[in-house]
Amino acid sequence: MNKKKTIGLSVYILFLLLPLYWLLMMSFKSNQEILGTLTFWPNEFTFANYMTIFTDASWYMGYINSIYYVSLNMVITLLVALPAAYAFSRFRFIGDKHLFFWLLTNRMSPPAVFLLPFFQLYSSVGLFDTHIGVALAHCLFNVPLAVWILEGFMSGVPREIDETAYIDGYSFPKFFTKIFIPLISSGIGVTAFFCFMFSWVELLLARTLTSVSAKPIAAVMTRTVSASGIDWGVLAAAGVLTILPGVLVIWFVRNHVAKGFALGRV
Amino acid sequence: MNKPHSNKAWFLVLPVFILVAFSAIVPLMTVVNYSLQDIFDVSTRYFVGTEWYREILNNSRLQDSLVRQFIFSGSVLLIEIPLGIGVALMMPKSGKWSVISLLILALPLLVPLNVVGTIWQIFGRADIGLFGWALNSLGIDYNYAANPIDAWLTVLLMDVWHWTSLVALLSFSGLRAIPDAYYQAASIDRASAWAVFRYIQLPKLKSVLLIGVLLRFMDSFMIYTEPFVLTGGGPGNSTTFLSQALTKMAVGQFDIGPAGAFSIIYFLIILLVSWLFYTAMTHSDNK
């Protein structure tokens, strides 16, 4: 590998990591130090900011709520998207192209457009401020994307495999779970990654559809802004903690990333 | 590929259809409903036809934020797509370092939008942030809270920081799927690095780039949280993009009628541009 590439990549990675490093360092500093001097390493290492979060239920419940509805969303999305993607990749049926495009249009609709009607609809059916409510709302943009990605992977699997399995006496559900799903495991890994990503980073809908019992961490974080100014240390610590679940997810899908990110389309 | 015709496949699609229809059709019809009426309270409402649409289209503040939005999304695509491809080309193809750089690249993608805003809010401040401090000590008068151009550039930089990795990861796995034989043939022909890129790598990347371009266009066109956290859309209106203008109108001022009309126009623009990208990129495929 040549030198120029290594240098270029290192510069880019530095650009990615520097802001994150700054956040991490700040989370270990006291507010006096943050506002007092500019230091690359905390003079006094403190866990006080993290303690504030871990000892206060209204703080850490935010994380639990977020993780809860994101997981729900991932499960629901995959459960409904898998059969649908199979149908799109294997069969032609009345209105298939229109349906597919209609699904994608939902990925294109800005959450801000649906804010008010969503609030009214979800309130009227009792889904307001529930985890399942947020998960369903996020399905609006995750399901179309999941169908799109999975369809690409499934089209890459030759149809002869389906036919052979049926001749061997497999029923459709058995074939689907025992043979087909393992074949596209990379695709499912990457789809789950995308679902997690878009649901985890989304704030506008999650904040609008919740008030207390399902409030996401992103909304809780606004508490650090008070009349006496911003509590930078706690804000930084909360930020660092929102990144950790993402790191875990990346670690789990790391073997699928390189192959799977091509989304079965090359 | 010839697929068999079977309307039974509808049963497999039905769950998706019901789920998405629940969250899409009812709210969409509600918005259309709002956009055609003047609503005072539950029982007092008048049908006003296309009046709100005319009002929105002639609203100069919204026209400004539409222009701002297009410039922003255009800049995002012009920077992120080439940069993403470039980063993908620089990445080691296999081995330990390949995995490590993949993991680092994926990291920003999973940072919640408001935390991205917070990170750059801190990072860009002259008193407590490295970036703002460095620029100011270099003699550049940088202050995103007071200077509209700085704020705009910060939002752009933030978006590049956050999402270029997506393009890079898509391109990287696209590149990996190119068989070695292609490169061998190219080296026998003594093709230049540029020719290899132009005639082998780029065409092979087209399908993944289509996804990258579409996702980046849609999401940058819907950007809301990052500028909101950074400066609340200011200073002035310099970082008030469409989503924020809409939220202000619908939730802040409670002008439901105009906000409904605004929503429909907003949605149609995204639909139209995405469709243009889609057909432009798939059409050249068939030639």
Side-chain angles (χ1 to χ4, degrees):
Chain A
M1 200 173 94
N2 66 45
K3 229 176 199 166
K4 242 195 251 166
K5 284 187 178 178
T6 320
I7 294 171
L9 190 65
S10 311
V11 169
Y12 183 71
I13 283 180
L14 195 69
F15 165 64
L16 287 189
L17 288 184
L18 216 50
L20 290 176
Y21 170 80
W22 201 251
L23 188 77
L24 185 67
M25 277 307 107
M26 209 157 130
S27 68
F28 291 118
K29 292 178 188 173
S30 63
N31 273 324
Q32 284 98 326
E33 193 184 336
I34 292 171
L35 294 170
T37 50
L38 204 79
T39 46
F40 283 85
W41 189 258
N43 290 330
E44 279 170 71
F45 221 76
T46 168
F47 285 100
N49 300 320
Y50 288 97
M51 286 313 285
T52 315
I53 293 171
F54 283 123
T55 51
D56 185 348
S58 61
W59 264 109
Y60 65 73
M61 278 314 286
Y63 288 99
I64 297 174
N65 288 336
S66 288
I67 291 172
Y68 188 24
Y69 72 69
V70 170
S71 319
L72 266 179
N73 172 271
M74 256 160 72
V75 173
I76 297 173
T77 303
L78 283 177
L79 278 182
V80 298
L82 276 168
Y86 183 78
F88 281 119
S89 80
R90 288 296 191 261
F91 303 109
R92 285 191 303 149
F93 47 93
I94 296 176
D96 52 353
K97 294 221 170 74
H98 300 285
L99 186 65
F100 198 67
F101 187 74
W102 172 72
L103 277 178
L104 281 184
T105 61
N106 290 302
R107 181 64 183 72
M108 301 168 195
S109 58
V113 165
F114 288 141
L115 220 49
L116 207 58
F118 253 36
F119 177 75
Q120 290 167 333
L121 174 69
Y122 279 54
S123 304
S124 68
V125 293
L127 284 173
F128 178 71
D129 203 18
T130 57
H131 300 96
I132 186 86
V134 183
L136 283 179
H138 283 178
C139 280
L140 183 67
F141 50 82
N142 269 347
V143 166
L145 188 71
V147 172
W148 194 24
I149 295 175
L150 288 172
E151 193 264 342
F153 277 99
M154 290 178 177
S155 299
V157 178
R159 214 177 33 237
E160 285 72 29
I161 291 182
D162 306 27
E163 282 152 14
T164 318
Y166 293 138
I167 291 168
D168 287 350
Y170 277 91
S171 65
F172 175 71
K174 202 167 170 214
F175 153 75
F176 202 71
T177 48
K178 286 266 159 60
I179 298 177
F180 200 67
I181 287 185
L183 276 176
I184 52 161
S185 57
S186 283
I188 294 176
V190 169
T191 310
F193 175 85
F194 269 86
C195 289
F196 180 94
M197 178 168 98
F198 284 116
S199 181
W200 180 254
V201 302
E202 206 278 338
L203 169 68
L204 193 54
L205 282 177
R207 197 183 57 185
T208 312
L209 293 177
T210 56
S211 63
V212 184
S213 59
K215 197 176 187 181
I217 179 60
V220 179
M221 280 176 72
T222 53
R223 289 200 334 173
T224 51
V225 185
S226 65
S228 56
I230 301 175
D231 192 345
W232 293 108
V234 176
L235 185 65
V240 170
L241 290 176
T242 60
I243 301 173
L244 290 182
V247 174
L248 265 180
V249 169
I250 299 171
W251 186 251
F252 280 126
V253 298
R254 68 186 185 285
N255 294 322
H256 297 303
V257 169
K259 198 163 57 158
F261 254 99
L263 309 181
R265 278 190 170 71
V266 271
Chain B
M1 194 163 70
N2 283 323
K3 297 184 223 172
H5 214 289
S6 161
N7 283 329
K8 272 193 227 155
W10 256 101
F11 287 109
L12 296 171
V13 188
L14 207 59
V16 163
F17 181 74
I18 294 171
L19 188 71
V20 178
F22 171 71
S23 300
I25 292 179
V26 180
L28 188 65
M29 287 335 284
T30 319
V31 174
V32 172
N33 196 9
Y34 287 155
S35 73
L36 298 173
Q37 298 185 60
D38 195 355
I39 300 172
F40 293 102
D41 58 59
V42 183
S43 52
T44 330
R45 45 177 75 199
Y46 302 100
F47 184 77
V48 294
T50 55
E51 190 174 321
W52 294 135
Y53 288 91
R54 242 174 292 151
E55 194 181 304
I56 289 294
L57 289 172
N58 290 323
N59 185 328
S60 64
R61 262 189 33 227
L62 295 178
Q63 287 167 354
D64 287 349
S65 62
L66 180 67
V67 172
R68 251 195 309 273
Q69 183 74 68
F70 267 113
I71 297 174
F72 180 74
S73 290
S75 320
V76 161
L77 288 180
L78 282 179
I79 295 174
E80 289 181 14
I81 302 294
L83 184 63
I85 298 174
V87 170
L89 287 171
M90 289 189 293
M91 276 166 70
K93 288 199 178 57
S94 56
K96 190 175 62 174
W97 290 107
S98 175
V99 177
I100 291 174
S101 46
L102 270 179
L103 293 184
I104 294 176
L105 280 184
L107 200 56
L109 294 177
L110 289 158
V111 181
L113 299 175
N114 71 314
V115 179
V116 174
T118 307
I119 289 174
W120 283 89
Q121 191 187 21
I122 293 170
F123 201 55
R125 274 175 66 124
D127 54 345
I128 61 172
L130 186 62
F131 181 64
W133 174 81
L135 282 185
N136 276 301
S137 51
L138 285 174
I140 301 164
D141 183 24
Y142 168 85
N143 183 350
Y144 66 75
N147 193 337
I149 295 174
D150 291 352
W152 195 87
L153 287 174
T154 311
V155 176
L156 184 64
L157 187 66
M158 196 150 72
D159 203 85
V160 170
W161 179 82
H162 193 191
W163 290 114
T164 304
S165 298
L166 182 71
V167 183
L169 289 179
L170 287 169
S171 313
F172 177 72
S173 35
L175 286 174
R176 263 185 40 137
I178 300 174
D180 270 343
Y182 282 59
Y183 293 114
Q184 283 156 12
S187 73
I188 291 169
D189 289 346
R190 301 197 176 196
S192 64
W194 168 250
V196 170
F197 175 71
R198 175 66 188 81
Y199 296 105
I200 296 178
Q201 293 173 322
L202 199 58
K204 280 276 168 188
L205 283 181
K206 195 151 51 184
S207 50
V208 282
L209 280 182
L210 171 65
I211 299 174
V213 169
L214 279 178
L215 281 179
R216 281 317 303 134
F217 169 74
M218 295 173 201
D219 288 340
S220 68
F221 215 80
M222 301 175 200
I223 188 169
Y224 171 82
T225 313
E226 293 98 321
F228 180 75
V229 171
L230 190 72
T231 57
N237 275 325
S238 58
T239 54
T240 304
F241 298 113
L242 286 176
S243 271
Q244 206 179 339
L246 175 60
T247 323
K248 245 186 222 168
M249 191 187 273
V251 185
Q253 304 158 0
F254 226 70
D255 289 335
I256 301 180
F262 186 1
S263 301
I264 300 295
I265 296 169
Y266 189 6
F267 186 31
L268 287 180
I269 293 173
I270 297 194
L271 215 58
L272 180 71
V273 180
S274 302
W275 183 80
L276 284 178
F277 275 128
Y278 188 79
T279 38
M281 290 179 85
T282 47
H283 188 67
S284 53
D285 243 10
N286 300 330
K287 272 182 193 164

